[in-house]
Amino acid sequence: LRSIKPSDTFNVVLFAGASSLLSPQSLPATESNIAEALDLINRQKGGGGTELVSALKTSLALPKSEEKARTLVLI
């Protein structure tokens, strides 16, 4: 997240035990949005089953922009 460009948008989808989103739509890559995303990620504790299919479906269902390419990074 720290290396994305200010013109980018992003979101975070978690998939440990269930699928959840940082935001219902992609966010601009501002310092505050990146800090919020990193805080969300850092607060996560692994547990439950890996709900990867649900997370992928959630990710692909997010609104997309015709002007930007969509990239999905799975970690």
Side-chain angles (χ1 to χ4, degrees):
L1 285 174
R2 294 178 204 254
S3 65
I4 62 177
K5 298 179 285 190
S7 59
D8 291 336
T9 57
F10 75 98
N11 209 330
V12 175
V13 181
L14 303 172
F15 57 93
S19 175
S20 60
L21 283 167
L22 171 64
S23 173
Q25 60 192 24
S26 294
L27 301 171
T30 64
E31 287 185 34
S32 62
N33 286 339
I34 292 170
E36 182 180 353
L38 291 173
D39 182 58
L40 173 69
I41 293 166
N42 288 330
R43 287 186 283 121
Q44 295 309 300
K45 305 267 190 267
T50 302
E51 298 294 330
L52 185 55
V53 172
S54 175
L56 290 172
K57 287 179 180 179
T58 298
S59 299
L60 295 173
L62 287 167
K64 62 181 177 177
S65 168
E66 295 299 323
E67 298 88 37
K68 295 185 179 190
R70 179 181 277 185
T71 302
L72 181 64
V73 178
L74 179 63
I75 301 174

